[in-house]
Structure formats: structure tokens, C-alpha cells
């Protein structure tokens, strides 16, 4: 308990201290950790939950990450790429529903050139001057990151997945490296993005010591956004038979990250909601303050299959905003119309 206290007060722990938070099996301990993190979130953001409209722009990918369902070698999914006008239609629809952040996520699709993305981002920027644009398009050059920032993007999500080099190489094919990933993240920070990173909890071969390394890396990097979701197997990947990550460990990590980074934007992820029907609300009650409903055209959602059973309907969909609102209201929280930038002095506004 003193370690929770120390993290809450100093936002900084040693490896050994983080490890003690991860392995404590006392059930009261987890409840206290979750409650302390929840209180920290409420003291900064109130009971407001930010929403981001997720637009899955392309499921073409040149990579072969071993965990991911849209890896190039998976021949079982139909590939699609949204056109510029389809993406703009998603934004228009999302804006009407109350979204003020659009997240453009996709595989590493060579057809999404810098010129094409520049054009799409600039158009969204001029049509929606009051909205934030978040990108999640994987590894690109420092020059492209800078160019997209100049076109009007504000934030970038790129999980490092795991800090440990050996573990990284068990999750990714030869040709991808942990160092390259960290270099990209440094490039994003340098370009001035609100930068997000994070890990999959329970990814194959992950150890508690690996997670400690992730905690220390994030403590040092100080990203504005931290994405933590359980690993969930996909049948079309080499990890088809690997066990899924744990809900409890994911919640534990959300709470640790909240106490480490009080003002960070931390989503209750789709993977958490997929793993368990109450995953989303439990994520919020463990200290998360963001949800990312799906704004992708419904006909394409099934093909953006990162893992089995990925939720994209009901409260996980943009059309299901009323359902999400009801679900959050039931635990005393509210969805709000707000860009929700990283801001140490966040001020509550615009309750929906
Ligand atoms: N290609 C981009 C964005 C798409 S993947 C990128 O790699 O950043 C977005 C995130 O989905 C990844 O960072 C990964 O952490 C998560 N993901 C992929 N496969 C998953 C799986 N099987 N289970 C849980 N999360 C997964």
C-alpha cells in the first residue's frame, strides 16, 4: 500500500517497486489500486469521458506482425481501403454525432503515400477546424511525421508493444526492430505530436519483468496518451492457439499508468471491451478516461479484424453512442463533446 501511495505522490517508482505492484495478489490491494487511480482521474477530469471516432482507413498491410489479423500473410480477409471522400463522409457523420476527434488508423499500406495522406489530413483540417486529428498509421519516416503535423494532424498513436528487444523479436518478423520503433516514437515527440504509446497485456512470451521494462520506458518517455489492451488471439495468425491476455492485469496496468501520469489520456480499449462485456466500464472505473467508438463504414468493419471477435457494434460503434452514454451514466460518468487534448489544466466543458 505504501508503494501505491508513493506512486500517487511522486509519479515515479523503481523497477522493484513496479514489480511489487504487479505481483501483489491480495484482492484488497487491487481494489485499492483501482480506487486510487479512479480518484486521481476524477480529480482532474471529473466524471467526463472523452470520445474519439475511430476510422479504420485501410486493412492493407505490408507487415507480418505475428499477433495481428491484418498481417500481409493472412489471406482470409478481404482487403479494403477507404477513399478520401469515404473518410470525409465518416468525419461528417461523426461530427454530427458529437465527435471532435477523428482517429485515422490503418495497416502499413504503401498506397497511403505521404502525398495522399497530406491531402486527406489537410482537407479534414480545413473542413473541421475545431476537431483534433489523430493518426495511427504505424512506422513512417521522421519527415512524413513532420509533414503530417504541418498538414494539420495533432496526435499520433504508435504502441511500442514491448520494450524488451528479445520479446519484441518474438512478436515481429525479422526486419522490424524495437530500436526502430523507439526511434519513431522519438520522431513523433520531436515533431510536436501529442504522442501515444502502449502495450498489449499478455502478449505471447511476455513476462512480468518485460512489463516492468515497459513501465520504466513510459515513465521516462512521458507520452500524452497510453493505450493498454489485452492481447486477443486471431485464428489467421501464428498465435492462433495462444491464450488471451488477462482482464485483471489490464485493469491493474491502467491504474498504475494513471497514478504514474495523472493527466494522460488513457482509453478503455476495444480489446478490453471485447474480452469482457463489462470491460469498458471496468476500464473507466480503473482510471481510464477515453473511449474510441468505431466510425468506419459498417460494411468494412468485419474486415478490420486485428483479433477474434473484435467489438464494433453497440456501445463500441458511433451509431451506438446513446448506448455508450447509458452505460457510462449507469456508473455516474458522462460522454462529452470536446476535443479532449492533453492538458494539465483540463477544465470541464460541454456536457453532452
Ligand atoms: N498498423 C498500425 C495501427 C493498427 S494496429 C500500428 O501497428 O500501429 C493497432 C494496435 O492494435 C497495435 O498497436 C496492437 O497493439 C493492437 N493489436 C494488434 N493485434 C492485436 C491482437 N491480436 N490483440 C490485441 N491487440 C492487437
Amino acid at each position: 500500500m505504501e508503494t501505491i501511495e508513493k506512486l500517487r505522490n511522486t509519479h515515479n517508482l523503481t523497477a522493484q517497486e513496479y514489480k511489487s505492484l504487479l505481483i501483489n495478489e491480495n484482492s484488497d490491494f487491487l481494489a485499492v489500486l483501482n480506487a486510487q487511480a479512479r480518484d486521481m482521474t476524477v480529480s482532474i477530469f471529473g466524471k467526463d469521458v472523452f470520445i474519439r471516432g475511430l476510422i479504420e482507413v485501410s486493412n492493407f498491410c505490408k507487415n507480418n506482425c505475428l499477433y495481428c489479423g491484418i498481417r500481409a500473410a493472412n489471406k482470409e480477409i478481404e482487403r479494403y481501403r477507404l477513399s478520401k471522400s469515404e473518410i470525409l463522409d465518416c468525419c461528417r457523420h461523426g461530427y454530427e454525432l458529437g465527435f471532435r476527434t477523428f482517429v485515422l488508423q490503418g495497416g502499413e499500406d504503401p498506397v497511403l503515400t505521404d502525398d495522399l495522406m497530406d491531402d486527406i489530413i489537410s482537407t479534414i483540417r480545413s473542413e473541421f477546424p475545431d476537431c483534433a486529428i489523430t493518426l495511427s498509421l504505424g512506422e513512417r519516416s521522421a519527415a512524413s511525421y513532420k509533414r503530417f503535423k504541418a498538414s494539420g494532424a495533432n496526435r499520433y498513436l504508435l504502441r511500442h508493444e514491448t520494450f524488451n528487444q528479445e520479446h519484441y523479436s518474438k512478436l515481429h518478423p525479422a526486419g522490424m526492430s524495437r530500436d526502430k520503433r523507439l526511434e519513431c516514437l522519438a520522431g513523433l515527440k520531436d515533431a510536436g505530436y501529442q504522442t501515444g504509446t502502449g502495450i498489449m497485456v499478455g502478449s505471447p512470451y511476455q513476462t512480468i519483468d518485460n512489463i516492468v521494462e515497459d513501465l520504466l520506458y513510459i515513465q521516462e518517455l512521458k507520452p500524452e496518451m497510453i493505450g493498454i489492451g489485452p492481447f486477443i488471439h486471431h485464428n489467421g495468425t501464428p498465435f492462433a492457439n495462444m491464450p488471451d491476455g488477462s482482464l485483471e492485469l489490464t485493469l491493474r496496468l491502467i491504474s498504475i499508468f494513471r497514478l504514474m501520469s495523472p493527466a494522460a489520456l488513457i482509453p478503455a480499449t476495444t480489446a478490453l471491451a471485447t474480452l469482457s462485456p463489462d470491460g469498458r466500464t471496468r476500464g473507466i472505473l480503473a482510471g481510464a478516461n477515453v473511449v474510441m467508438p468505431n466510425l468506419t463504414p459498417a460494411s468494412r468493419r468485419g474486415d478490420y479484424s486485428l483479433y477474434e471477435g473484435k467489438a464494433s457494434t453497440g456501445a463500441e460503434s458511433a451509431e451506438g453512442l446513446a448506448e455508450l452514454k447509458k452505460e457510462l451514466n449507469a456508473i455516474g460518468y458522462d460522454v462529452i463533446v470536446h476535443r479532449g487534448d492533453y492538458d494539465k489544466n483540463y477544465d470541464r466543458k460541454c456536457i453532452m
Side-chain angles (χ1 to χ4, degrees), residues 67-68 105-106 136 138 158-159 161 200 230-232 304 306-307:
Y67 45 84
C68 184
Q105 187 181 89
S136 176
L158 182 70
R159 293 188 182 168
E161 314 295 359
M200 285 175 291
F231 162 77
I232 300 178
Y304 197 82
L306 302 178
Y307 43 82

Side-chain angles (χ1 to χ4, degrees), residues 3 22 42 55 64 66 68 72 87 89 103 107 119 147 154 175 229 251 270 277 281-282 290 292 305 316 322:
T3 314
L22 291 172
V42 172
I55 306 171
N64 266 305
L66 278 77
C68 184
I87 295 172
D89 283 344
V103 181
D119 179 40
R147 182 166 172 194
N154 311 93
L251 297 172
T270 303
T281 46
R282 290 183 68 181
V290 173
M292 300 170 67
S305 63
E316 206 57 46

Side-chain angles (χ1 to χ4, degrees), residues 36-319:
Q36 294 272 349
R38 174 165 72 238
D39 289 351
M40 177 74 90
T41 310
V42 172
S43 75
I44 295 176
F45 300 97
K47 292 194 172 182
D48 300 342
V49 175
F50 296 133
I51 49 170
R52 283 52 169 112
L54 179 63
I55 306 171
E56 295 156 337
V57 295
S58 168
N59 69 353
F60 283 91
C61 191
K62 64 175 200 267
N63 282 339
N64 266 305
C65 303
L66 278 77
Y67 45 84
C68 184
I70 64 168
R71 65 203 305 271
N74 183 10
K75 304 293 178 213
E76 302 298 309
I77 52 168
E78 201 175 315
R79 302 283 168 172
Y80 73 88
R81 178 181 304 113
L82 302 184
S83 65
K84 177 182 172 185
S85 74
E86 286 175 303
I87 295 172
L88 279 153
D89 283 344
C90 292
C91 296
R92 288 177 195 129
H93 177 54
Y95 192 90
E96 274 174 32
L97 291 170
F99 288 92
R100 294 296 177 269
T101 291
F102 303 119
V103 181
L104 274 47
Q105 187 181 89
E108 294 197 12
D109 177 355
V111 175
L112 299 179
T113 57
D114 285 5
D115 285 346
L116 180 60
M117 286 316 302
D118 182 355
D119 179 40
I120 293 171
I121 296 162
S122 311
T123 310
I124 300 175
R125 173 50 57 234
S126 60
E127 191 171 328
F128 302 96
D130 57 334
C131 292
I133 302 172
T134 304
L135 303 177
S136 176
L137 300 169
E139 297 181 359
R140 304 185 74 116
S141 69
S144 332
Y145 290 150
K146 286 205 173 103
R147 182 166 172 194
F148 299 162
K149 184 78 179 38
S151 328
N154 311 93
R155 312 185 189 133
Y156 204 107
L157 304 172
L158 182 70
R159 293 188 182 168
H160 68 287
E161 314 295 359
T162 179
F163 183 80
N164 183 275
Q165 299 218 38
E166 204 184 313
H167 185 219
Y168 194 94
S169 69
K170 290 181 181 161
L171 302 181
H172 299 94
M176 290 182 75
S177 77
R178 193 282 312 250
D179 286 351
K180 177 74 204 301
R181 184 60 59 124
L182 301 190
E183 192 186 304
C184 286
L185 281 157
L188 289 165
K189 277 246 159 189
D190 183 55
Y193 286 91
Q194 292 172 47
T195 302
T197 197
I199 63 167
M200 285 175 291
V201 179
S203 59
Y205 315 109
Q206 183 184 56
T207 65
I208 289 291
D209 288 317
N210 292 155
I211 300 178
V212 171
E213 290 182 74
D214 295 320
L215 285 161
L216 294 174
Y217 168 63
I218 289 182
Q219 173 169 283
E220 184 69 28
L221 183 73
K222 304 195 188 321
E224 286 78 12
M225 302 171 285
I226 305 172
I228 304 297
F231 162 77
I232 300 178
H233 73 283
H234 187 294
N235 293 334
T237 68
F239 290 162
N241 297 318
M242 293 291 187
D244 295 342
S246 130
L247 176 73
E248 288 223 328
L249 185 54
T250 306
L251 297 172
R252 188 184 292 248
L253 278 161
I254 288 175
S255 296
I256 295 173
F257 280 118
R258 170 61 64 203
L259 295 174
M260 176 199 292
S261 307
L265 301 161
I266 302 181
T269 56
T270 303
L272 189 60
T274 301
L275 195 65
S276 164
D278 61 356
R280 193 180 311 99
T281 46
R282 290 183 68 181
I284 298 296
L285 294 172
N289 68 325
V290 173
V291 283
M292 300 170 67
N294 200 313
L295 257 183
T296 310
S299 61
R300 299 300 195 183
R301 282 182 203 163
D303 290 318
Y304 197 82
S305 63
L306 302 178
Y307 43 82
E308 291 301 315
K310 180 165 154 283
S312 63
T313 57
E316 206 57 46
S317 68
E319 329 64 87

